[in-house]
Amino acid sequence: MFDKILIANRGEIACRIMETARKLGVATVAVYSDADARAKHVAMADEAVHIGGSAPKDSYLRGDVIIAAAKASGAQAIHPGYGFLSENPDFVDAVAAAGLVFIGPSAAAIRAMGLKDAAKKQMQAAGVPVVPGYLGENQDPAVLAAEAEKVTYPVLIKAVAGGGGKGMRKVARPADFADALASAKGEAATAFGNDAVLIEKYVDKPRHIEVQVFGDGHDAVHLFERDCSLQRRHQKVIEEAPAPDMPPEMRAAMGDAAVKAARAIGYKGAGTIEFIVDASEGLRADRFWFMEMNTRLQVEHPVTEAITGVDLVEWQLRVASGESLPLRQEDLSINGHAFEARLYAEDVPAGFLPATGRLDHLQFPADARADSGVRPGDSISPWYDPMIAKIIVHGHTRAIALSKLSRALEGTQVAGSVTNLAFLGALARHEGFGRGDVDTGLIERDLAALTVQPQASDAVRALAVLAAANLPEGPNIGFSLWSPLRRNMSLLHQGAAVEAQLAVLAADHALVRLGETELCGRRVAGQWRIDGAPMIPVQKAAGAIHVFAREGAFSFTLLDALARDVMGAGPTNATLSPMPGLVKAVFVVPGQAVVAGDRLAVLEAMKMEHTLTAARDGIVGQVLAEAGQQVEAGAALILLEEEA
Ligand code: ADP
Ligand code: ADP
Ligand code: MG
């Protein structure tokens, strides 16, 4: 085993790897960018090396600087985590050339699987079923259109260099092919510097089922499947293992195909074979096809760990240090069921816009595994993936595990940033998901119901009033029942005032009047409770009061004169960039009339495109940005003329 390793990553995965290293007595070296100087992964490591600026290309993607840091600190091996340099074969070669061990597959294995077309050809040759389609070199649009007809519609255009759902377009009919091809190629050229595409049959009622494989360069085993069908825009949201309703013969066939794929490239380390499954007539052993291989540890690996009892990072370190596979196939089995939910700083009503912010309060339930790269007080910066945590639960059956997931999400408290917590909670309670009737279209079909935002109930608002009143505890409060202390209180919540009248009857007994409703509060063991409502946690942090009811996090501040002024100033004249990004397009010119909701510009940031719209009716005064321009968060892009 190694004495010391360097982790070339950040956030939750860097912390996750360090936990296992510590368990194995291996010292750890963290690397960090400017933005991460005070990050959790830096604090957790035995040593930490600063490697450059906040943008990934100035730090986490600088292979030469990272290798120099490993040499200087005496680390013997580098763990790449996922993303960043994890699937970069040139980096793997450079690590070996520096006399260090790359904790992962060989450069040759990564190259073999790096492009989807080449990978599919190789898998076909190894006898693994692949999605039918066109994998040719000829990229002439007319040829591609003719091939799409042969594949038969609907088809999926995919960037051969694709990843993270980019450069992918579903096309339902021939008339739409040319436009879809142009936009897929455009996106692929920007994201991957390679605009080549392949064409696949679009699988009906698709389920995404992937198999965890593990090799030691000589032999390979699989650790069963994960179902990742709950996706939004081809990105995974909730994952589970094993796949619901998986027939044993299909599990065996998929496991065999995955092991065959891993053996065909002499695979070493943790990898995932992703399959697309046609579930239109249930799961059948002849209805799964290879999509791609991810030659790294996957974000959702914890659900596999939960059902197999294997620590996959431990296996990675053992195999990389020269040991052979720790277990044989027949020693591996499935125990119970596990779910993982990805908790993000995201503005769901604004179209899942990535959010940033300082996490004034952060608390995870005690009976779930929470893999997180942030602590209370840390910030979600605009530079990286806005993931806050992965919440992982395990139960004897799927139904038990799912109800544990619901409870774990209800017990998760985040204040300081908007999150997708309520969306995850709604998914966990979704009836079809509960039955295991999943496919990749589920979220899109039910999006409206899944994204209903929780509203602060009267009980929530009354608790905020009681917390804001700061009533002293103890017997010496000194009011008598016939002359209760009455106070009017104003709180600010989501840009609106909450007006309440508080009547204090005793140190542990108060009435809160909200409009026509009066609620009775009782203080038990230091915590206010509202009669007839379940216990609702309240936290005070950073000058605000946060009430956590189910997956809703409701923040209140005492309303002062300043806040009233801000509220009074109607919709703004300026459209600001919500985050750092690239202006893709500007649709308006000075002098143009717009109405509220009109499209003004498109910004590309954090792997997605965001449309910026007019906040009110008006005339465009100035256009301060142009397509192709990189802009900072908060930069004014478009100004409307003052209202008459
Ligand atoms: P998984 O299949 O495990 O969900 P993905 O392939 O979506 O993982 O991505 C794994 C990691 O790599 C994630 O952290 C994701 O943010 C990052 N990633 C993937 N594709 C891109 C990309 N095109 N640009 C930046 N980061 C990416
Ligand atoms: P990426 O490299 O971006 O992860 P994948 O090839 O793994 O790309 O596909 C991402 C997702 O797109 C899959 O998880 C699945 O939901 C959907 N998808 C991919 N191929 C097909 C297909 N042929 N038919 C239907 N859906 C597909
Ligand atoms: Mg994929």
Side-chain angles (χ1 to χ4, degrees):
M1 183 48 68
F2 308 113
D3 300 313
K4 190 191 268 193
I5 62 170
L6 178 141
I7 294 111
N9 215 302
R10 63 175 305 283
E12 69 87 15
I13 192 62
C15 300
R16 157 77 192 88
I17 293 161
M18 285 186 228
E19 255 162 41
T20 290
R22 185 179 288 166
K23 185 179 87 179
L24 301 179
V26 176
T28 55
V29 183
V31 292
Y32 64 95
S33 66
D34 289 346
D36 279 339
R38 280 176 298 279
K40 178 178 171 188
H41 78 278
V42 174
M44 269 182 80
D46 297 306
E47 295 166 52
V49 182
H50 177 247
I51 51 167
S54 300
K57 69 167 176 28
D58 297 329
S59 48
Y60 299 108
L61 290 173
R62 289 181 69 188
D64 52 343
V65 177
I66 290 171
I67 290 170
K71 296 289 278 187
S73 60
Q76 297 138 319
I78 297 182
H79 195 307
Y82 55 68
F84 297 131
L85 293 166
S86 61
E87 294 179 277
N88 181 326
D90 297 337
F91 178 66
V92 178
D93 283 335
V95 170
L100 301 169
V101 175
F102 178 77
I103 301 172
S106 66
I110 296 177
R111 284 198 181 96
M113 292 297 173
L115 295 178
K116 292 185 200 284
D117 53 345
K120 280 178 73 178
K121 284 179 196 159
Q122 185 151 355
M123 288 301 108
Q124 214 161 9
V128 177
V130 306
V131 193
Y134 172 74
L135 303 173
E137 304 268 298
N138 194 329
Q139 294 285 311
D140 177 29
V143 172
L144 291 172
E147 291 294 337
E149 298 268 8
K150 276 193 233 162
V151 172
T152 74
Y153 281 85
V155 300
L156 192 64
I157 302 173
K158 264 189 200 179
V160 301
K166 281 212 151 195
M168 216 176 331
R169 294 289 182 282
K170 179 185 175 186
V171 195
R173 48 196 191 116
D176 302 333
F177 187 80
D179 282 353
L181 179 66
S183 81
K185 278 188 173 282
E187 194 169 286
T190 328
F192 315 113
N194 175 354
D195 76 350
V197 298
L198 57 82
I199 296 170
E200 275 180 7
K201 175 74 190 155
Y202 186 84
V203 172
D204 221 26
K205 193 154 196 230
R207 269 171 73 171
H208 173 123
I209 302 181
E210 58 185 34
V211 179
Q212 176 72 53
V213 292
F214 213 102
D216 60 9
H218 307 286
D219 200 5
V221 293
H222 70 82
L223 292 94
F224 312 101
E225 78 280 359
R226 295 183 285 259
D227 194 313
C228 313
S229 300
L230 283 198
Q231 301 185 349
R232 203 191 133 259
R233 295 211 189 163
H234 308 299
Q235 303 262 38
K236 301 160 184 172
V237 179
I238 293 184
E239 300 101 339
E240 62 180 302
D245 300 323
M246 173 65 91
E249 63 279 9
M250 182 167 178
R251 172 171 296 134
M254 292 186 80
D256 283 350
V259 168
K260 212 186 274 174
R263 288 206 179 114
I265 54 168
Y267 198 74
K268 185 169 177 178
T272 296
I273 314 284
E274 294 190 331
F275 294 100
I276 192 86
V277 172
D278 174 352
S280 56
E281 296 174 301
L283 293 185
R284 292 171 44 170
D286 58 352
R287 298 260 176 105
F288 70 88
W289 301 278
F290 172 86
M291 266 194 307
E292 66 164 347
M293 177 168 190
N294 293 326
T295 49
R296 54 171 159 85
L297 190 67
Q298 201 106 341
V299 174
E300 58 273 24
H301 74 276
V303 290
T304 298
E305 297 186 321
I307 61 157
T308 58
V310 168
D311 178 336
L312 286 167
V313 175
E314 177 185 330
W315 279 32
Q316 286 187 301
L317 297 189
R318 288 173 64 178
V319 164
S321 68
E323 287 184 39
S324 49
L325 281 172
L327 290 177
R328 292 165 306 176
Q329 192 68 59
E330 56 270 32
D331 301 326
L332 289 158
S333 59
I334 298 177
N335 168 26
H337 205 99
F339 287 95
E340 171 187 284
R342 299 186 186 197
L343 177 64
Y344 282 99
E346 276 182 339
D347 189 345
V348 171
F352 294 85
L353 199 70
T356 57
R358 183 175 178 278
L359 302 174
D360 297 324
H361 176 77
L362 180 65
Q363 192 177 312
F364 300 111
D367 53 354
R369 168 175 167 183
D371 284 14
S372 176
V374 285
R375 302 154 296 186
D378 286 350
S379 290
I380 300 293
S381 87
W383 295 103
Y384 315 107
D385 189 296
M387 184 189 274
I388 297 172
K390 306 185 305 201
I391 313 281
I392 303 118
V393 296
H394 179 259
H396 291 307
T397 66
R398 186 174 190 272
I400 292 170
L402 190 53
S403 98
K404 282 175 105 171
L405 180 66
S406 270
R407 272 187 289 124
L409 293 169
E410 285 177 22
T412 298
Q413 303 176 358
V414 189
S417 168
V418 291
T419 73
N420 66 343
L421 189 58
F423 170 66
L424 295 174
L427 264 176
R429 287 188 295 270
H430 185 278
E431 208 241 335
F433 181 42
R435 282 197 313 268
D437 185 11
V438 292
D439 69 271
T440 62
L442 181 146
I443 289 179
E444 201 54 47
R445 276 195 304 275
D446 289 339
L447 197 62
L450 291 168
T451 53
V452 170
Q453 286 304 292
Q455 298 300 317
S457 64
D458 282 345
V460 164
R461 291 185 295 152
L463 281 170
V465 169
L466 287 166
N470 239 338
L471 299 174
E473 278 189 77
N476 301 326
I477 190 163
F479 316 117
S480 57
L481 271 176
W482 51 89
S483 61
L485 188 65
R486 289 194 180 273
R487 265 169 83 178
N488 286 324
M489 295 189 54
S490 296
L491 269 59
L492 185 66
H493 171 60
Q494 292 181 348
V498 175
E499 306 287 356
Q501 195 182 56
L502 179 68
V504 181
L505 306 178
D508 56 1
H509 188 193
L511 300 175
V512 181
R513 174 167 286 281
L514 293 162
E516 298 299 299
T517 316
E518 188 160 69
L519 296 97
C520 170
R522 301 241 176 219
R523 184 148 51 186
V524 183
Q527 272 264 23
W528 284 102
R529 306 182 61 143
I530 301 298
D531 271 2
M535 165 74 185
I536 300 174
V538 179
Q539 298 283 342
K540 286 190 185 182
I545 294 149
H546 308 286
V547 186
F548 300 98
R550 238 187 187 178
E551 298 92 9
F554 305 101
S555 299
F556 298 81
T557 43
L558 261 172
L559 188 56
D560 59 21
L562 181 73
R564 281 182 204 273
D565 280 354
V566 172
M567 283 171 59
T572 164
N573 295 329
T575 300
L576 307 181
S577 172
M579 67 197 81
L582 177 77
V583 179
K584 290 281 288 212
V586 177
F587 303 112
V588 291
V589 292
Q592 186 175 333
V594 293
V595 296
D598 273 1
R599 228 164 44 131
L600 301 180
V602 170
L603 186 73
E604 187 186 78
M606 326 214 38
K607 296 166 66 183
M608 283 197 288
E609 289 189 355
H610 309 286
T611 302
L612 305 178
T613 55
R616 62 164 168 87
D617 300 357
I619 307 286
V620 176
Q622 294 184 54
V623 175
L624 303 169
E626 57 183 16
Q629 191 178 335
Q630 195 73 33
V631 292
E632 294 297 321
L637 305 182
I638 285 149
L639 296 181
L640 298 186
E641 282 178 7
E642 288 294 335
E643 280 178 294

